[in-house]
Amino acid sequence: MQITAIVPQLPPAIDGVGDYALRLASQLQQDFGLSSRFIVGNPDWQNTPAIAPFPAQAVSLRTSADLIAQLEQFVMPDSTLLLHYVPHGYATKACPFWLVQGLETWRKRFPQIRFLTFFHELYALDWHRPWSSDFWLSPVQQHLTSRLAQLSDACLTSTERYIHPIRRLSQGKQTEIPTLPIFSNVGELADVQPLTQRQRHLIIFGQRHSKRRIYQASLPLLKQVCQALAIETILDIGPPSGITPVHVNGVPLQELGKRPLNEISAILAQAFAGFLTYDPRRLSKSGIFAAYSAHGLLPINHRGCIQSVDGLTTGTHYWVPPTTPTLNMQKAQAIATAAYTWYQAHNLAAQTEKFHRYLKETNEAA
C-alpha cells in the first residue's frame, strides 16, 4: 500500500501540519515499510533535500484542474489518498473551493481509491466576532468542511471536540472518528531528568504570532511565573516576535531564533518549564504543548477549563498560575510527570502504529 498525502506546506516552510505529515510518513516507512508521496497545496513551495526520500510536488496553481492533474499523476491504483485538512492552509480566507471541487471531480473518476481526511481544523473558531471576515465566511467554511466529510471514506481528527461537528457535517456518514492528539515535531525523550536536576530555564517556543500574543497580553503572568519558580533565564525559540523584551521582571530573556530540531530537543531536555497561551479545550492539538510534555517540562498555560478534554485536566497535566498562584516542587514534578505520561499513549511510535492499523482496517473494509 502506498500513501499519497495532500498537505498545505512542507519544510523548509514553517508549518506544523506539514511537519506532522512528514514525520508520520517517515515513521510509517521505518516501522511498516509504507511509502508516501506528497502533493503540496502552495504553488510557491520549493522542494528540498529535507523531503527525501519522498516524492513531492506542489500544485502549479490553486485550481481544481491543476489538483486533478496532480492526483492523476501521483495516486497509484493501490494508493490511499490522505488529506491533511486545515482550511486556512489552502486558501487566504479559509475557503478552499479549488481543493474541494477538485477532490469531488477526481473521486467521481476514481471511486475505488480510498480517501481519508485528517481534520486538523474544521473551520475558523472566531466567527462570533463581527469585525472579522470569519464571521461572514463561517457558513461557507462549514459548507466546504461538510462536503469533505461526506466525500471521505473515513475521517480522523486530533481532538474529541471535533467528533460531534464532523458527524453532524457529514450528515451521518461518519460515525467512527478516531482521535489522535498531535505528537511532538521536535523529538521525544525515552527518559527525562527530574525537575530538581534541570536548569531554571523557562521556554517560550512557537511562531511569531503566538509569541507576540504572549509578550503583548501575558507579561504580568510571565513575571508571576518567573518569581514563583525562581526562573533564572527565559529562552525564546523560533522566529523573532519583533517585540521581545530584554528581560522580564529582572530575569534575562535570550532570543535564540530558529534552531535545528535536535538542538531544540536538547534545550528542552534541560529546561524546567514551558509557557504557552493556547485554548485549553484544544491543547491536544498544540505541537508546543506536545513538545513540552514529550521532554518532561512543567507545562504552563495562561488559563484552564472546568472539564477534562482529551484526557487533559487543569492542575493535573498543566499549571495555570491565575488559579493556583504558588507551586511547590513536589506538585510541579507531579504535573510534569502526568503530562509526560499522557503523551506516551500517542507518541510518534504509538500513533504511527494506530495510524497503520486504521489504514489497514479501512482498506480491508473497502
Side-chain angles (χ1 to χ4, degrees):
M1 179 174 56
Q2 185 181 83
I3 301 169
T4 299
I6 303 176
V7 293
Q9 287 276 23
L10 283 176
I14 298 173
D15 181 82
V17 173
D19 292 340
Y20 173 93
L22 188 59
R23 288 182 65 82
L24 178 63
S26 298
Q27 201 71 24
L28 283 168
Q29 184 177 61
Q30 175 181 311
D31 293 352
F32 301 102
L34 294 183
S35 60
S36 297
R37 48 182 58 200
F38 292 96
I39 297 173
V40 181
N42 185 342
D44 296 327
W45 178 79
Q46 298 292 324
N47 205 338
T48 68
I51 308 306
F54 305 111
Q57 187 167 314
V59 295
S60 300
L61 297 169
R62 280 181 168 173
T63 64
S64 57
D66 191 87
L67 176 62
I68 293 167
Q70 296 277 4
L71 290 168
E72 291 180 345
Q73 176 187 348
F74 261 50
V75 182
M76 301 295 105
D78 63 341
S79 291
T80 294
L81 180 62
L82 172 61
L83 169 65
H84 289 275
Y85 189 64
V86 50
H88 62 78
Y90 296 102
T92 303
K93 297 295 184 180
C95 297
F97 284 99
W98 67 275
L99 177 70
V100 177
Q101 291 170 351
L103 286 168
E104 287 173 336
T105 301
W106 177 82
R107 287 234 69 190
K108 290 177 182 177
R109 297 180 186 176
F110 302 95
Q112 76 281 6
I113 296 178
R114 297 290 288 171
F115 172 45
L116 278 63
T117 299
F118 193 118
F119 283 104
H120 295 269
E121 296 285 354
L122 300 181
Y123 42 82
L125 296 178
D126 61 349
W127 58 268
H128 58 284
R129 301 172 183 172
W131 57 87
S132 72
S133 61
D134 290 325
F135 177 85
W136 307 103
L137 293 175
S138 179
V140 179
Q141 295 168 0
Q142 293 188 50
H143 173 68
L144 291 172
T145 299
S146 177
R147 287 163 62 180
L148 278 176
Q150 294 177 62
L151 191 65
S152 304
D153 291 307
C155 297
L156 306 92
T157 187
S158 52
T159 172
E160 61 189 26
R161 291 189 66 239
Y162 286 173
I163 292 178
H164 176 70
I166 293 172
R167 284 177 180 159
R168 174 177 57 83
L169 292 170
S170 73
Q171 298 186 9
K173 180 178 179 181
Q174 306 297 340
T175 55
E176 298 296 325
I177 305 167
T179 57
L180 298 173
I182 297 300
F183 49 72
S184 168
N185 285 333
V186 294
E188 306 167 342
L189 296 183
D191 298 296
V192 295
Q193 285 188 328
L195 297 182
T196 53
Q197 297 179 19
R198 291 170 175 248
Q199 298 172 313
R200 290 284 175 148
H201 291 172
L202 175 67
I203 304 296
I204 296 177
F205 179 31
Q207 301 299 325
R208 181 176 182 270
H209 64 88
S210 63
K211 293 193 293 185
R212 287 182 68 89
R213 187 166 59 243
I214 290 174
Y215 297 135
Q216 289 174 335
S218 297
L219 271 180
L221 193 56
L222 273 180
K223 294 177 181 179
Q224 177 186 339
V225 168
C226 289
Q227 183 173 358
L229 300 181
I231 295 298
E232 298 173 357
T233 307
I234 301 171
L235 301 178
D236 179 306
I237 305 173
S241 69
I243 58 170
T244 306
V246 177
H247 59 80
V248 175
N249 201 31
V251 177
L253 191 154
Q254 297 180 18
E255 198 169 52
L256 302 181
K258 301 177 184 178
R259 296 296 177 98
L261 297 185
N262 60 342
E263 189 174 333
I264 295 174
S265 181
I267 293 171
L268 296 181
Q270 296 296 322
F272 190 91
F275 188 88
L276 72 165
T277 56
Y278 206 84
D279 183 346
R281 299 166 299 175
R282 303 167 68 229
L283 275 174
S284 68
K285 292 172 45 55
S286 168
I288 305 302
F289 182 79
Y292 293 162
S293 300
H295 287 82
L297 283 78
L298 166 67
I300 306 169
N301 200 35
H302 71 307
R303 62 187 176 94
C305 58
I306 298 175
Q307 73 276 22
S308 296
V309 183
D310 296 306
L312 292 170
T313 304
T314 301
T316 299
H317 299 93
Y318 57 99
W319 179 36
V320 179
T323 59
T324 310
T326 59
L327 196 70
N328 60 35
M329 181 61 74
Q330 182 179 2
K331 180 60 176 176
Q333 184 62 69
I335 293 174
T337 300
Y340 179 79
T341 303
W342 169 85
Y343 179 81
Q344 300 313 305
H346 61 272
N347 63 21
L348 179 56
Q351 188 162 150
T352 302
E353 194 280 328
K354 293 177 183 178
F355 211 99
H356 174 259
R357 186 171 66 246
Y358 189 66
L359 286 170
K360 185 177 179 181
E361 290 172 354
T362 54
N363 275 277
E364 289 175 348

